[in-house]
Amino acid sequence: MAPNATGPAAAANDLLPVVPLFGARILYPGVVLRLSLRDGDAFARLDDNALVACVPVVPSPPPASAAPASGDGAENQDADAPSSSKALVPRPKGTHSPEQGRQHAVTSDQLAEYGCLGRIVKTVRARIGPVHGSIVLVEGLTRVHVDFISAHADPRQLYASVSLLYDSDIPDTDTNLANKVTAVRQTALALVAHLQSSLSASAVRDLRALLQSAPADQLSFALVGLAELSADDRITLLSQDLPDRLDLILTSLRRRLDAVNLAASIRDKVGDTLSKKQRELLLRQQLEVIKKELGELDGSGGMNSRDAGNDDVRDLEQRLADGKYPVHVVQHVEKDLKRAKAMNPAMAEYHTLLNHADWMLSLPWTTVSPDAMDLGAARAQLDADHHGLEPVKTRILEFLAVRKLRDALHGPILCLHGPPGVGKTSLGKSIAAAMGRQFARIALGGVRDEAELRGHRRTYVGAMPGVVVQTLKKAGTRNPVILLDEIDKLGRDPMRGDPAAALLEILDPEQNAHFTDHYLNVPLDLSQVLFVATCNSLDTIPRPLLDRMEVIDLPGYTPSEKTAIAATLLAKQHERHGLPANTVRIDPDAMQHLLFNYTREAGVRNLERSLATICRAVAVEFVGWRDQQTVAIATPERGESAKAPPFTKTVRVADLRDLLGGPKYDDDVYLRTMVPGLAVGLAYTGLGTGSVLFVEATQYPGKGRLQLTGQLGKVLQESGHLALTWLRTHAHALGLVATASDLLWADRDVHVHLPAGAVAKDGPSAGVTLATALVSLALGVPVRRGVAMTGELTLRGDVLPVGGIVEKALAAHRMHLHTLVLPERNRKDADEIPKEVRDELTIVFCAHLSQVLRVALDTPPTLTLPDVDVGATVRYYAPKL
Ligand SMILES: Nc1ncnc2c1ncn2[C@@H]1O[C@H](COP(=O)(O)OP(=O)(O)OP(=O)(O)O)[C@@H](O)[C@H]1O
């Protein structure tokens, strides 16, 4: 076909990049088209304002087998094509669907002869389906004839030499042409009037305005959607001059108008007999047309973005077809996609629907990892990962054994309870490895909103599934081991639902087979998931939640356990720092020094950090040594042996200061307990660790008042008052006042302080320590060095049991204290203290404060209390005293 004869034809000076356009997405003058280009597509990166030739790809001929024996087959098309458009790049075998065209090079003979000169208005980086790419807006400038196409080094990129085609102004004398323009406008207006019941008022207004204002030469282009032009006609339109274009669009508009009239008359006739489904179909078809039209007319390329959007829908449909999903999931996704298809992609809800479908298809509905239930291998795995922890490992193996016997067992949920760094998280990982399952972790610390666990309803802006669903997606199987980390730090906000309630459902085997995430809104089976929780403290876990779990205590490690673990950790650090095995050795004295003066902790986290610091420092020395070796080997005349012994570094006590800085802890417990009025207590912190607590008491002239400082909670303050009351009550028996009616410190004030002042403290277990400090002050007798105590005190001087005995004993042992005063009723708990620690401590059980004083004070008071037989009731666990 010759270039347009009615307008001036001008050849563009330069070769223009060709943007091939597939299907119905065609650029016309006056229209803005939105293109989705994936990274890797030809021209994925086009500069703003660049000129391009947008040329439609001619729909593929039928496959060879279906083609006529002779005539217009693919070969003949090639033969008929102008010589300039011969394939200059190899043509891939087979036919081209739009999708294929994306991935393979488009050949010049697949391109139409006419296209449109486009200018890049804007390029925005975006996600195109699953990959990165760009959204490019191209503005159509004028029609072009493609004169010549040449290939580029990249076979996917074609360049074209084009002639620009302009329409001449309609001369006043050409009434025929003016009449055609009027006829097109009127027919289109009539069509809009017929369709207006299914259009919004603003859409009708916009359409009418456009019909009145669109210039004659762009009118037909603006109406391709309304006229429902076929794919071939849309391409033909680019090659036609103005009168032919007007004829083509007028014919199509009239055909559509007739169809709409016919549909209306059928509808009238059939009336109410139309079934609901038919009505829906009809409405959807109408909606489709209207939206196509709107997309094209609003200039944002809505129609084309719809095509781009359809790609996403197609991707999801493909995933749905390829994957294995339960019926209810398939139904849900199909519903989502059906609704999305009927929508303009510019609508927010469109993306909501696709996101939802994407989430549904990403979850492991049917993928399970087979359980490797070899108990021997499980034991080996646990032993390889963790030194010691015998009771914990035994419990885990029992758990696995029962699970092996009863596959569908709704077993208890294990809760690993202990201070930081004792290996709770890594035990969770070992359990997963031992069972051959995937491992995933949910950090519950600070989760205050139920929706964080259960997701937001889809109606919320930016709604997402909850962490449970997200974690399951990450795990990729429906039976992973999920670690609910720090379950004791679960927050609570009365305004935002109770996350503990959601957790209750998640952990309840009766309910979790039908767990419903608000976002997904379909039941999700969590019954195959093995949940393992961790916590530092049991006090803050809501009771119903705690009842649902079986608590396994990890109270902390003894020095010998830590020394053994250090060997594993050191080997790990060698690997992490690229050091050959056994390069760093730690002398046993240095290890003890490291444990006592640098990392006095229940777990081994700081120990691991210190070992990492040591390895880093040694790595510097090692690199220097290795470089020297290389030089020595290269220059043997210097006399060094080519085979030097391997580099090793033994860390001794004296090296620790250089490697780690000064000690972080010292023997302050001993230094601080040399004066009367100072006692050492044992506390159990919210982190699940035992620690040493000092009580300082002093007195000065005043009015008999008691002052308590050190950020003490209400219970602790009351314990202080109680201790003073006991002392005053028994002041006469202790020989502190002359007669029973005299008040001790009537003209003095007493100040009791518990360092560290910045740390809040509370609880009743410091009662005996407070009383001991006050008695020591009143008698002027210091508390024995190395003695620590714990126990609640009653007004009568009885000592009541307290919690965290094992942790407190480990803390006392860490601080090198030798005697532990415990409540008599905690005797059973002392059996839990590791033997190694028990053997090195003297543990005294007391039922009454008078017994405590007798053990604790350097010079025990000559106390004769009528109701207590001191000698008979003081019992020693390991009587070394
Ligand atoms: N018994 C052990 N044997 C070998 N390594 C251990 C042992 N216990 C702990 N570790 C190591 O100590 C480090 C800290 O452990 P982990 O992070 O599991 O502690 P945690 O108890 O989960 O602490 P947190 O409460 O702070 O989360 C890990 O590198 C772990 O492998």
Side-chain angles (χ1 to χ4, degrees):
M1 192 180 294
N4 190 346
T6 58
N13 287 337
D14 299 322
L15 286 176
L16 294 175
V18 175
V19 175
L21 300 178
F22 295 91
R25 42 167 66 209
I26 292 180
L27 183 70
Y28 296 112
V31 169
V32 174
L33 185 65
R34 198 184 89 142
L35 299 173
S36 306
L37 298 180
R38 295 156 204 241
D39 283 352
D41 280 356
F43 305 115
R45 288 172 186 275
L46 289 164
D47 295 333
D48 286 356
N49 286 324
L51 292 178
V52 289
C54 294
V55 187
V57 174
V58 180
S60 314
S65 58
S70 65
D72 42 44
E75 293 82 355
N76 286 352
Q77 277 192 7
D78 279 350
D80 292 345
S83 60
S84 61
S85 68
K86 282 261 188 251
L88 299 174
V89 279
R91 179 183 199 156
K93 293 240 178 312
T95 56
H96 279 267
S97 68
E99 289 74 19
Q100 283 172 317
R102 284 250 159 82
Q103 287 139 28
H104 303 293
V106 171
T107 57
S108 58
D109 56 349
Q110 290 173 292
L111 296 173
E113 202 182 336
Y114 290 86
C116 183
L117 180 70
R119 187 173 62 85
I120 307 296
V121 182
K122 198 170 179 62
T123 307
V124 183
R125 296 288 297 158
R127 255 190 109 68
I128 314 287
V131 294
H132 290 285
S134 311
I135 303 289
V136 179
L137 296 184
V138 197
E139 178 193 12
L141 300 177
T142 187
R143 294 183 300 123
V144 294
H145 175 262
V146 181
D147 298 336
F148 177 80
I149 290 192
S150 80
H152 186 259
D154 180 344
R156 292 169 309 158
Q157 301 193 356
L158 299 176
Y159 285 83
S161 156
V162 299
S163 302
L164 308 182
L165 307 174
Y166 298 102
D167 293 307
S168 329
D169 290 338
I170 303 173
D172 290 343
T173 50
D174 195 343
T175 48
N176 189 20
L177 202 56
N179 288 342
K180 274 187 192 173
V181 173
T182 313
V184 168
R185 288 193 208 278
Q186 283 174 351
T187 316
L189 278 170
L191 190 53
V192 172
H194 274 81
L195 295 173
Q196 85 173 352
S197 56
S198 43
L199 287 172
S200 72
S202 63
V204 173
R205 207 172 40 243
D206 290 350
L207 272 167
R208 287 194 172 130
L210 182 111
L211 283 168
Q212 271 152 23
S213 63
D217 56 340
Q218 289 180 4
L219 194 58
S220 24
F221 300 134
L223 294 174
V224 285
L226 188 67
E228 289 193 328
L229 239 54
S230 69
D232 284 345
D233 283 349
R234 286 175 191 231
I235 295 175
T236 308
L237 211 57
L238 280 169
S239 66
Q240 289 180 320
D241 56 13
L242 182 57
D244 289 346
R245 285 205 308 270
L246 290 171
D247 284 343
L248 179 62
I249 207 78
L250 191 56
T251 315
S252 304
L253 282 171
R254 284 190 176 141
R255 202 183 306 126
R256 173 101 206 267
L257 188 59
D258 289 347
V260 172
N261 278 331
L262 187 64
S265 70
I266 292 171
R267 197 169 48 236
D268 289 347
K269 280 184 200 147
V270 177
D272 292 340
T273 59
L274 261 185
S275 73
K276 193 168 168 264
K277 246 197 155 70
Q278 285 168 312
R279 191 184 291 275
E280 190 185 309
L281 190 71
L282 194 66
L283 286 171
R284 281 203 190 288
Q285 281 172 349
Q286 289 174 351
L287 199 67
E288 186 100 341
V289 174
I290 293 155
K291 283 179 181 161
K292 263 187 203 166
E293 185 63 19
L294 283 175
E296 218 176 59
L297 295 177
D298 66 15
S300 67
M303 181 188 85
N304 300 298
S305 66
R306 175 187 192 84
D307 285 350
N310 281 342
D311 284 352
D312 298 334
V313 175
R314 270 195 293 274
D315 282 349
L316 291 166
E317 280 174 338
Q318 195 60 47
R319 279 167 62 191
L320 182 64
D322 292 348
K324 260 175 78 184
Y325 303 99
V327 180
H328 68 284
V329 173
V330 174
Q331 285 170 346
H332 239 84
V333 174
E334 279 177 349
K335 207 166 120 195
D336 277 353
L337 296 182
K338 194 171 155 204
R339 283 182 60 201
K341 272 186 192 166
M343 265 177 205
N344 187 325
M347 289 173 75
E349 201 192 338
Y350 174 85
H351 296 283
T352 312
L353 286 168
L354 291 201
N355 269 343
H356 186 257
D358 184 33
W359 267 106
M360 294 282 276
L361 296 181
S362 309
L363 291 177
W365 297 97
T366 51
T367 321
V368 284
S369 34
D371 273 351
M373 282 295 197
D374 178 350
L375 288 189
R379 170 94 229 181
Q381 178 78 47
L382 290 173
D383 284 342
D385 293 345
H386 294 92
H387 174 85
L389 297 177
E390 272 320 307
V392 182
K393 287 180 190 166
T394 310
R395 183 63 197 92
I396 291 171
L397 286 173
E398 285 167 8
F399 179 79
L400 297 183
V402 179
R403 242 191 134 87
K404 190 174 176 180
L405 291 177
R406 282 206 57 195
D407 201 22
L409 172 83
H410 294 319
I413 284 116
L414 297 182
C415 176
L416 305 173
H417 163 231
V422 289
K424 299 184 295 297
T425 310
S426 59
L427 263 174
K429 281 188 197 156
S430 293
I431 295 174
M435 296 178 80
R437 292 190 179 194
Q438 294 297 319
F439 174 81
R441 173 176 166 267
I442 297 180
L444 291 175
V447 168
R448 301 192 332 151
D449 191 345
E450 189 196 357
E452 282 182 57
L453 289 174
R454 233 188 230 290
H456 289 94
R457 288 187 200 286
R458 264 202 280 171
T459 41
Y460 281 78
V461 176
M464 285 272 285
V467 277
V468 177
V469 170
Q470 292 181 29
T471 310
L472 216 55
K473 177 181 169 187
K474 226 182 290 163
T477 59
R478 59 184 286 210
N479 64 339
V481 173
I482 294 188
L483 188 84
L484 300 170
D485 218 359
E486 307 202 323
I487 200 165
D488 53 329
K489 312 281 184 314
L490 202 64
R492 195 171 173 184
D493 184 342
M495 301 296 287
R496 299 194 231 165
D498 182 5
L503 258 193
L504 270 182
E505 185 191 331
I506 291 166
L507 297 182
D508 185 351
E510 303 301 325
Q511 296 183 52
N512 68 10
H514 308 284
F515 171 74
T516 308
D517 179 279
H518 288 327
Y519 179 81
L520 291 188
N521 206 21
V522 290
L524 184 66
D525 182 3
L526 298 180
S527 62
Q528 308 268 317
V529 177
L530 176 63
F531 288 104
V532 178
T534 78
C535 68
N536 293 136
S537 155
L538 299 176
D539 300 343
T540 47
I541 303 180
R543 196 73 228 175
L545 209 52
L546 193 57
D547 283 350
R548 210 144 286 185
M549 301 189 288
E550 178 174 330
V551 177
I552 298 183
D553 286 313
L554 290 93
Y557 294 113
T558 63
S560 67
E561 282 172 336
K562 284 190 193 171
T563 311
I565 294 170
T568 319
L569 297 179
L570 192 58
K572 214 159 52 171
Q573 293 305 328
H574 270 80
E575 212 177 296
R576 274 197 199 152
H577 292 86
L579 289 169
N582 298 322
T583 304
V584 187
R585 291 175 193 166
I586 301 194
D587 169 84
D589 284 347
M591 181 54 78
Q592 290 316 308
H593 195 56
L594 184 62
L595 293 181
F596 185 65
N597 293 314
Y598 286 87
T599 66
R600 224 181 267 176
E601 58 180 339
V604 288
R605 181 156 295 140
N606 285 331
L607 176 64
E608 190 173 18
R609 257 184 227 136
S610 303
L611 294 176
T613 312
I614 291 174
C615 285
R616 269 200 304 277
V618 175
V620 177
E621 279 184 52
F622 176 71
V623 170
W625 173 86
R626 203 180 52 183
D627 292 350
Q628 246 178 16
Q629 295 304 304
T630 319
V631 173
I633 291 166
T635 54
E637 68 280 2
R638 284 172 61 188
E640 280 108 312
S641 154
K643 272 208 163 186
F647 177 91
T648 53
K649 164 85 185 174
T650 305
V651 178
R652 303 190 194 284
V653 175
D655 300 323
L656 287 178
R657 187 174 280 274
D658 285 345
L659 292 166
L660 300 173
K664 312 246 179 315
Y665 305 92
D666 52 28
D667 257 345
D668 54 352
V669 183
Y670 283 86
L671 297 175
R672 286 162 76 172
T673 46
M674 287 162 67
V675 288
L678 216 149
V680 180
L682 291 168
Y684 181 61
T685 69
L687 283 180
T689 330
S691 76
V692 162
L693 176 100
F694 293 97
V695 175
E696 298 173 346
T698 187
Q699 42 99 351
Y700 51 92
K703 294 181 179 165
R705 284 168 306 204
L706 172 66
Q707 193 185 353
L708 291 155
T709 55
Q711 281 219 60
L712 311 186
K714 204 159 174 253
V715 179
L716 196 44
Q717 292 195 27
E718 284 174 3
S719 297
H721 286 286
L722 204 137
L724 183 60
T725 305
W726 186 89
L727 175 61
R728 281 182 164 155
T729 322
H730 297 90
H732 181 56
L734 289 164
L736 293 169
V737 288
T739 65
S741 54
D742 287 341
L743 179 67
L744 175 68
W745 291 325
D747 54 354
R748 309 200 59 86
D749 280 353
V750 180
H751 186 160
V752 174
H753 178 67
L754 273 69
V759 181
K761 310 162 195 78
D762 204 1
S765 72
V768 291
T769 322
L770 287 160
T772 305
L774 287 174
V775 174
S776 156
L777 178 71
L779 292 173
V781 175
V783 174
R784 277 204 181 102
R785 286 210 217 163
V787 176
M789 60 202 75
T790 183
E792 180 175 350
L793 185 68
T794 70
L795 209 47
R796 288 165 41 84
D798 292 332
V799 179
L800 299 185
V802 292
I805 292 298
V806 179
E807 289 80 0
K808 287 175 177 175
L810 285 171
H813 188 253
R814 274 202 299 279
M815 302 295 278
H816 289 190
L817 297 164
H818 55 72
T819 302
L820 217 59
V821 180
L822 299 181
E824 171 65 45
R825 280 162 61 191
N826 277 119
R827 187 180 284 272
K828 59 183 185 323
D829 302 309
D831 291 339
E832 307 288 324
I833 301 172
K835 184 165 181 321
E836 170 196 342
V837 173
R838 227 162 45 194
D839 288 350
E840 289 185 14
L841 284 175
T842 301
I843 304 177
V844 187
F845 296 100
C846 299
H848 196 272
L849 183 63
S850 55
Q851 300 163 322
V852 177
L853 297 176
R854 189 160 162 192
V855 180
L857 295 182
D858 237 350
T859 314
T862 46
L863 188 67
T864 40
L865 292 170
D867 53 344
V868 179
D869 177 358
V870 174
T873 50
V874 174
R875 273 169 285 176
Y876 302 96
Y877 197 92
K880 279 190 191 167
L881 202 68

